[in-house]
Amino acid sequence: KSAKKKKRKKIFKIFFFIFLALFIIGAGVVIGIISGIVGKTDGIDIDEIKAYNLTSFVYDKDGNEIGQFFDAENRISIEYKDLPTHLVDAVIAIEDERFFIHNGVDVKRTVGAVFTYVLNGGKSNFGGSTVTQQLVKNVKNDKETSWTRKVREWYRAITLETKMSKEEIMAAYLSTIYLGDGSYGVEVASQNYFGKSVKDINVAESAVLAAAIQTPES
């Protein structure tokens, strides 16, 4: 019995060290690949966000609309202080429940998304995007369907969170996200759907806008 136990322990140790070696090699390869992708990825800065977040309408000194910069996008930039708390809460609940505590990438959701991606043989849409990730993807117009695009997105999101506050990121996101009927951003959407500024909408109307982010044409 003693000899058998020793033999089993020896076999277990051999398999353990083989597994450990393969894990270390695999981790090294993955880190190397990710580092290579990040090294070739252009970052993102505040000027890009500001340019993307410009109001598309032109007003005279009396506040009357006299023109529009972008024919295809109706967009009005709005500051965080003008966003109703219940709208921000609704968006966070639906889109990114840990928005105020992550660093641009939600590790818990990302691990789940990676696991699903691997199990589906790379055929899933990856998912797990935070509000910050969605913003940088739209700003960069980087919509390639691949895991390498996701790595670029992670890097840019983490970088952006070192340059902008959570409030600034949320305001930029909600000022530019497409919400159907040619409406870009919650201010234009609120005026189109409810006939009033987003700062005046109620809880139910906030829920409608938050839900429209995932199904803008429904």
Side-chain angles (χ1 to χ4, degrees), residues 58-197:
V58 182
Y59 302 91
D60 63 20
K61 62 180 181 180
D62 298 317
N64 300 309
E65 182 185 329
I66 59 175
Q68 188 174 1
F69 284 119
F70 310 104
D71 293 333
E73 296 185 7
N74 298 317
R75 185 171 64 240
I76 297 176
S77 179
I78 191 167
E79 295 182 23
Y80 186 83
K81 64 181 179 63
D82 294 320
L83 293 169
T85 301
H86 43 74
L87 173 60
V88 174
D89 290 343
V91 171
I92 288 175
I94 294 174
E95 295 293 312
D96 188 357
E97 62 181 345
R98 282 175 285 278
F99 173 71
F100 280 107
I101 60 176
H102 64 60
N103 67 345
V105 176
D106 187 332
V107 176
K108 183 178 179 179
R109 289 180 66 192
T110 298
V111 170
V114 170
F115 188 69
T116 301
Y117 183 83
V118 172
L119 284 183
N120 285 278
K123 295 180 180 180
S124 74
N125 64 358
F126 220 105
S129 291
T130 64
V131 162
T132 312
Q133 288 174 243
Q134 292 178 55
L135 177 61
V136 298
K137 180 178 70 174
N138 292 337
V139 171
K140 287 293 188 179
N141 196 31
D142 189 357
K143 298 177 182 179
E144 174 189 320
T145 304
S146 69
W147 69 272
T148 54
R149 190 270 297 173
K150 208 67 181 178
V151 172
R152 294 195 297 270
E153 188 179 288
W154 294 336
Y155 170 69
R156 288 166 178 158
I158 293 170
T159 300
L160 184 61
E161 292 244 356
T162 66
K163 300 177 179 180
M164 295 177 70
S165 68
K166 290 287 189 179
E167 291 77 11
E168 290 172 330
I169 290 170
M170 179 61 74
Y173 174 72
L174 290 180
S175 291
T176 56
I177 193 73
Y178 183 63
L179 295 166
D181 195 30
S183 302
Y184 287 81
V186 292
E187 179 60 25
V188 172
S190 180
Q191 292 180 17
N192 282 349
Y193 299 143
F194 311 126
K196 55 186 172 182
S197 172

